Amino acid sequence: MPRPKSPLVWILLAVGGACALCCTGTLGLMVLGLLGGDATPGAVATSPMNRARAGTRGEPGGFAFDAPPGWKKLEDGRFILEWVDRGDTLGVEALRLPSVPGLDDGEGKLARLWRERIGADWNDVKPNPLAMRRFVTNGARAYFTAAEVRSKTNNRSFRVSLYLVEADDRLEPLVFIQSFMTPGGIAESLSASFSWNASYPRVEEALKGVRGSPVGLPLVDDAEVVGDFLYGSSTSTQWVNAYTGSATMTAVSYSAEYSFGANHAFQYKYAGASGQVGAMRFGSEDDQGTWSVKHDVLTVAGAKRTRRFLLVGAARTPEGRRTLYLMPEHPGWSLSPGGIAQHAELYVAKD
């Protein structure tokens, strides 16, 4: 929104936004709880779904995780990397948890492990994380979630990511802990939140150390796409003239609906409104055509235009409703914290 011209002085009162997503050497004591204990029980490894998802075996030797060169390996098996960026110390720590039997219900197992293990060692851990999916560097499928949490010992902010990587008949959990330390600790929490994008590339770098997992599997099965999905967003901003007391409100609201058929046909409807309340502009759009999923990209080829989405997930809400988490095509598709928060759209099934 453009700045108001002088001499008017406006005060921003409220901004309402659409819903979005929402490791240093000193961390040793904080993560000891993550290193021990039994894995979350899972379904039997020989279930039909597991056999159907066997895929193509990766590199020989079974699952392994080795951090890239330059990371320090500690005696307890953790890996750590620290560096200085404009006077601040950034760090990433990586560790493995005990494997989880079975490949079915990856999102459910991710949520349980997040609550039981991450929630036990950190503060501000939300109980129902948004479960996402991705391919790691070697092509293995993984379920993951991440959030900013706080240390139970000193209340410092960290960003913790939990990955469950498919490996033959089990899921292999990996935890990444991003840290930030500024001299004197001034505005540490706010500064830390701005640092996650800066340290995230090192997490991607570490994921290159995954070896031995099955590859060649689709990220999302076609059956998970079939259905009617709705995404909506609403944002409003109110301004008050400090001299006159008069108020102005602007708003942006829209909804998009996709109907994906089992025959790979789709229908699309969009309706939106924006502008100053009382004088808003309205628009709509519709399209139809065919849809397809290849690797981790959903393509909808319509009669009017073709859209491509990066598939970020197909989990269920806590109420059990199916979802499609999609990131519209844009320059520099990224699974970084900022990339997901700014661009990903959560479509919820109408059924």
Side-chain angles (χ1 to χ4, degrees), residues 57-298:
R57 289 186 177 273
E59 302 88 339
F63 180 88
F65 172 71
D66 298 303
W71 289 58
K72 181 180 179 181
K73 186 173 183 178
L74 305 182
E75 293 183 357
D76 57 13
R78 290 180 291 129
F79 296 90
I80 188 170
L81 178 68
E82 292 180 316
W83 67 98
V84 176
D85 181 16
R86 291 175 292 186
D88 302 318
T89 301
L90 279 64
V92 179
E93 188 167 342
L95 59 145
R96 289 180 61 180
L97 300 182
S99 60
V100 180
L103 296 177
D104 59 321
D105 191 25
E107 281 92 356
K109 291 174 180 175
L110 180 77
R112 288 194 294 272
L113 198 59
W114 179 263
R115 291 191 297 265
E116 296 171 7
R117 305 301 297 277
I118 307 301
D121 292 297
W122 303 87
N123 288 329
D124 296 344
V125 178
K126 302 299 186 294
N128 295 305
L130 182 60
M132 296 171 280
R133 300 184 199 177
R134 61 166 295 169
F135 290 111
V136 294
T137 307
N138 79 328
R141 201 163 45 182
Y143 304 89
F144 74 102
T145 192
E148 182 172 314
V149 298
R150 289 186 174 273
S151 164
K152 288 189 173 182
T153 58
N154 55 24
N155 207 38
R156 283 179 52 203
S157 296
F158 296 82
R159 186 174 190 270
V160 174
S161 304
L162 173 63
Y163 285 77
L164 297 187
V165 184
E166 290 188 345
D168 296 326
D169 59 355
R170 65 193 185 281
L171 297 168
E172 291 286 352
L174 298 174
V175 177
F176 297 96
I177 305 169
Q178 296 172 244
S179 67
F180 174 86
M181 178 79 75
T182 186
I186 301 176
E188 185 272 335
S189 180
L190 180 61
S191 300
S193 65
F194 288 120
S195 75
W196 307 142
N197 279 338
S199 55
Y200 175 77
R202 304 303 176 93
V203 175
E204 289 288 344
E205 180 182 89
L207 286 170
K208 295 178 181 178
V210 172
R211 295 185 286 108
S213 295
V215 297
L217 300 165
L219 191 67
V220 173
D221 295 329
D222 281 2
E224 295 179 282
V225 180
V226 174
D228 299 328
F229 294 87
L230 182 67
Y231 169 73
S233 174
S234 180
T235 303
S236 63
T237 306
Q238 184 174 2
W239 302 83
V240 174
N241 187 314
Y243 290 124
T244 66
S246 62
T248 301
M249 177 178 287
T250 60
V252 176
S253 179
Y254 63 90
S255 66
E257 180 179 347
Y258 275 102
S259 295
F260 297 109
N263 62 349
H264 286 265
F266 85 89
Q267 290 186 335
Y268 170 73
K269 295 179 181 179
Y270 167 87
S274 64
Q276 184 174 329
V277 175
M280 299 185 71
R281 299 179 298 275
F282 296 86
S284 62
E285 183 183 2
D286 60 77
D287 203 356
Q288 59 184 358
T290 60
W291 66 271
S292 61
V293 173
K294 185 176 182 180
H295 198 60
D296 54 2
V297 175
L298 168 66

